[in-house]
Amino acid sequence: MQDFGKRKVRETVGDEKENDLEQLIKKLEESSALFHTVFEQAPVGIAVGHNEKWIFDPTSSLPGINSAFEKILCRSKKELADISWMDITHPDDLQADLVMFQKLKSGEIDSYSMEKRFIHPDGSDIWVRMTVVPLKLENDIFAQMAGLDGDEAPDETGIRSKDFKHICILEDITKRKIIEKELRESERSKSVLLSNLPGMSYRYSYGNGRTMEFVSEGSFRLTGYRPECLIKDRDIGYDDLILEQYRQARWDEWNKVLSRREPFRLEYEIATADGSRKWVYETGQGVYDDDGRVEALEGIVIDITGRKQRELEINRLKNHDYLTGLNNRRYFVELLSDEIMRDPVVKRAVLLIYLRHYNTVNLIYGYPYGESIVKELANELQHHVRDNILLFKISADRFCFYVRDYEESNELICLCDLIRESFNKSVYFKTIGGGIGIYEIERDVIDPEVILKCAAIAASNQNNTLEPEYTFFSKEMEARLLRKAMIKEEIAVSTSRMSHECLSLAFQPIVSLDGAIAGFEALSRYESENLGCISPEEFIPIAEETQLIIPLGEMIIDKACAFLKEIESLGYNDIKLYINISIIQLLRDSFPADIYRIVKEKGVNPSNLCLEITESVFSSNFKAVNERLQQFRELGFSIALDDFGAGYSSLSRERELNVNYLKLDKHFIDDLTSANKLTIVGDIISMAHKLGHYVIAEGVENEVQKDRLCGYSCDYMQGFLFSQPLVDTAALEFLKEWKKK
Ligand code: C2E
Ligand code: MG
Ligand code: MG
């Protein structure tokens, strides 16, 4: 290429001197080298084209295609020279390119520029900004490079088509195009989002005045105001739409999050142009300048009315009793915690109304019936609600009045009287029955659940009356209840393990009229791990309540029979052992078989066993109980009616009672001590004798009582006068000693 240039120059200069020529050649070589460097190093792609091809000659000082060109199109210069630019032009851009190219070729335009795509060898797009200008050379070295003779006829455009040369300049804009595409995508997503948003987006200027400088179209649907009405507060400021109670809180929240550079999130209500209210959720963030100052606030406000209403409804349901519509326990707990926190000094009390027979009524008449009464009762009780007296339904069978800011306990009693009046309004309310537990909340008690518990303890500490009574809570009540729970648990544990250690029996002698020991009464003792010795009068009712009396009773019978066995094995065959039996044991179908089994196992004589039952057992079902007693008698056992005359009077039906012994209650015996007091003891004894029963006097403590009882021919006596209840070994000793006398 260099030789070719020199020759040309020599031809041009013709007859000039050799020296001058050499200098000229040198200059030409220098400028040619400079051009070559500039061409090669240019940051844009440059190629000389001839019609649909690019020209490339590696041997020439003007190679036709520079390095940037090949780099942009990702093909070597050689490859580029071998193909037509049309082949690697993206089909979608080809037509436009050809049109422009034809115009250029025809001389209609001087140059053209366009953004177009070439095809990368891997098939992807190469975006370029392409400028094409015609290349007109007087001595066309490129024509020779392309192998043309330069004398061809012009085509219809006036330019010899084969001879059309141009320079193609490329600037790679692929990256920009990708960014543009992403931007377009994100703009599109944003506009899709905004147009589908059930709300609006905004930008607040954050300077002296905070006004919105941009509001999206959605504002109309959300607020009823077009964006231009809100922008710069033209008609109304967005702040004015926010309900007053939220306005300050919203800016407080904004200020808080801005100082921490955190996102803003808040739910509040706005009033729309037509006056309706909407719940909205606003989320946004601050826009900061380079110095970290807040420039603007940007965010969106979305309509959440539907969701909020559902939420509020759920909350309403959560805080209300479905049946009566009254606030429920959950709400009570929340309210009370809140109030106590805010003002711990105010005098407060809780009146808990326990519907004592609600469950029984449901069982007998069905739940709809029970519920309808409770609903009516709720309406009735609501009449007593005042500003400082609130009513709650805290469970299926419990109402509760919360009284705050009262002065005297008497006010609570007055409320109880009103409640009682309400109960008296309908016989149905009376059927359900109720008890009122009052707890005047102490200053240090802040847990609402504890407060309710105290009121419930007070309510449970009542007799089983239909007319509601009221009871004030006391610490002793709580201690009793706690003790009861502990006993219950201990009995449950020891019976489940069948461990007999805690349970023992004491035996109290029963002496006959002639002074002989006729028998012993077995009296249970419970030695608690935590509470020490517990009297049967305390633990037996608890065991009965929990049905634990059944396993416990079996343990008692077992121990009693073991003692009887010892007596029998000492040769005493006429000593009776009296065992106390509870109604729950007695009425169990399996009880006769169970007791008979134990007796057989121990090998004792059933006729030496006497079952003591209290006369109250007849109150449930006289006939059934009496038949059961007969069954025992047929098995060989005797029956004693304990505490006779103490409560339920079976005297009227004494004739029919299937019992062998009447145990005269201690209070009759106590009467015998006072000389002046009229007593019916003698009459009872003689009547019992006439009906074929033996009489045992209980609780004989002195000689006077003994003498008088002897005078009435009382068959047997039992009491401290003869002996305290004794442990088994002492009882046997006592028996042996007594016999010796
Ligand atoms: P209970 O069957 O009437 O027993 C007589 C109670 O009077 C016993 O009290 C006895 O210790 C007491 N006592 C005896 N003589 C005198 C006396 O002269 N003066 C006084 N003040 N009291 C006297 P304890 O042992 O406390 O039993 C109380 C009640 O517990 C028994 O009354 C009985 O109803 C029940 N009980 C005791 N053990 C059992 C048992 O194993 N099973 C069942 N179901 N009940 C039992
Ligand atoms: Mg007894
Ligand atoms: Mg008794």
Side-chain angles (χ1 to χ4, degrees), residues 121-138:
D122 69 8
S124 62
D125 294 345
I126 300 170
W127 272 98
V128 296
R129 175 156 190 86
M130 180 177 81
T131 303
V132 185
V133 292
L135 179 64
K136 291 172 189 154
L137 294 171
E138 285 183 13

Side-chain angles (χ1 to χ4, degrees), residues 316-421:
R316 202 189 64 77
L317 291 174
K318 265 197 319 205
N319 292 331
H320 284 75
D321 171 60
Y322 81 98
L323 182 66
T324 59
L326 291 174
N327 282 318
N328 60 15
R329 192 181 117 241
R330 189 195 151 89
Y331 185 72
F332 170 82
V333 168
E334 264 177 31
L335 178 92
L336 207 62
S337 321
D338 203 48
E339 287 204 357
I340 293 176
M341 281 295 242
R342 270 192 283 125
D343 189 353
V345 185
V346 163
K347 246 184 138 181
R348 301 181 166 90
V350 165
L351 276 77
L352 185 136
I353 304 167
Y354 169 47
L355 306 178
R356 205 176 296 284
H357 303 294
Y358 179 64
N359 275 335
T360 318
V361 167
N362 280 336
L363 290 176
I364 298 171
Y365 304 106
Y367 281 92
Y369 178 78
E371 286 184 349
S372 68
I373 297 178
V374 169
K375 216 168 152 180
E376 259 184 68
L377 183 61
N379 291 337
E380 197 51 52
L381 293 175
Q382 258 176 312
H383 292 131
H384 314 312
V385 171
R386 303 280 178 276
D387 281 351
N388 70 327
I389 302 175
L390 305 178
L391 177 63
F392 300 81
K393 172 97 184 308
I394 55 165
S395 72
D397 55 2
R398 282 171 166 81
F399 288 96
C400 133
F401 277 103
Y402 165 44
V403 186
R404 62 185 161 209
D405 215 5
Y406 66 98
E407 278 171 15
E408 306 220 344
S409 306
N410 212 25
E411 292 170 46
L412 305 175
I413 295 174
C414 288
L415 178 57
C416 286
D417 289 338
L418 290 173
I419 296 168
R420 285 153 67 109
E421 272 174 33

